[in-house]
Amino acid sequence: DALPISRSDAAASVQCAGVMAASRALRAGLRNVMAVQTRSYADRDSSQLGELGKGAGKGGGGGGAIRDAGGAFGKKQAAEEERYFRQKEKEQLASLRKHHEEEIGHHKKEIERLQKEIERHKHKIRKLDDDD
């Protein structure tokens, strides 16, 4: 026969299912982010850009008046832009790393809480067995 389930047990079960669903969604989202980042690294080496600082790229888009003119100023601006985007990417990766570390901490706490719940239920079962 099934044991009666209290409201707190049902709520914990629903909350656990919610945490697991959120974890699956987060993993799926991260796969998409990683795929986009991988493609962006491949695009960086693409021949679409032409030589940085040498005027408009092969894609037909201009890089502004200074870059269109080419020369030393165009190369300098291209280098500054590359440096800027590398820094932004570095900051985003640091932020993502921090977020994942916080998520890991949260999940460890959730595991501890659920293990305590399991022990509480085992204790209830032992108590029921002792009453028989």
Side-chain angles (χ1 to χ4, degrees), residues 92-125:
Q92 288 173 341
L93 288 173
S95 175
L96 188 60
R97 184 174 290 113
K98 180 182 175 192
H99 170 74
H100 289 310
E101 289 170 355
E102 289 171 354
E103 284 291 315
I104 289 170
H106 167 74
H107 290 303
K108 284 181 178 179
K109 288 179 185 176
E110 188 67 15
I111 288 168
E112 290 173 12
R113 186 189 66 78
L114 291 172
Q115 286 175 335
K116 288 178 184 176
E117 285 290 316
I118 289 170
E119 286 303 315
R120 186 175 65 84
H121 289 293
K122 285 181 179 179
H123 178 71
K124 283 183 178 181
I125 290 171

Side-chain angles (χ1 to χ4, degrees), residues 1 12 21 31 39 61 67 76-77 85 88 102 106 109:
D1 292 326
R31 278 189 218 110
R39 282 193 297 269
R67 286 191 64 181
K76 181 180 178 190
Q77 183 180 11
F85 286 112
K88 282 293 177 192
E102 289 171 354
H106 167 74
K109 288 179 185 176

Side-chain angles (χ1 to χ4, degrees), residues 42-105:
D43 291 345
R44 185 178 288 167
D45 295 332
S46 174
S47 64
Q48 289 289 320
L49 292 175
E51 191 174 340
L52 294 177
K54 291 285 188 180
K58 293 179 183 177
I66 294 175
R67 286 191 64 181
D68 286 345
F73 285 114
K75 289 180 181 178
K76 181 180 178 190
Q77 183 180 11
E80 288 174 2
E81 288 175 5
E82 285 297 312
R83 196 172 19 253
Y84 171 81
F85 286 112
R86 275 195 305 271
Q87 181 61 33
K88 282 293 177 192
E89 186 177 80
K90 191 176 183 180
E91 290 169 5
Q92 288 173 341
L93 288 173
S95 175
L96 188 60
R97 184 174 290 113
K98 180 182 175 192
H99 170 74
H100 289 310
E101 289 170 355
E102 289 171 354
E103 284 291 315
I104 289 170

Side-chain angles (χ1 to χ4, degrees), residues 6-74:
S6 69
R7 286 185 184 182
S8 65
D9 295 341
S13 178
V14 168
Q15 186 178 14
C16 182
V19 167
M20 289 171 41
S23 177
R24 282 192 298 272
L26 180 62
R27 271 189 252 120
L30 287 176
R31 278 189 218 110
N32 291 339
V33 168
M34 294 305 289
V36 168
Q37 287 178 347
T38 301
R39 282 193 297 269
S40 73
Y41 286 123
D43 291 345
R44 185 178 288 167
D45 295 332
S46 174
S47 64
Q48 289 289 320
L49 292 175
E51 191 174 340
L52 294 177
K54 291 285 188 180
K58 293 179 183 177
I66 294 175
R67 286 191 64 181
D68 286 345
F73 285 114

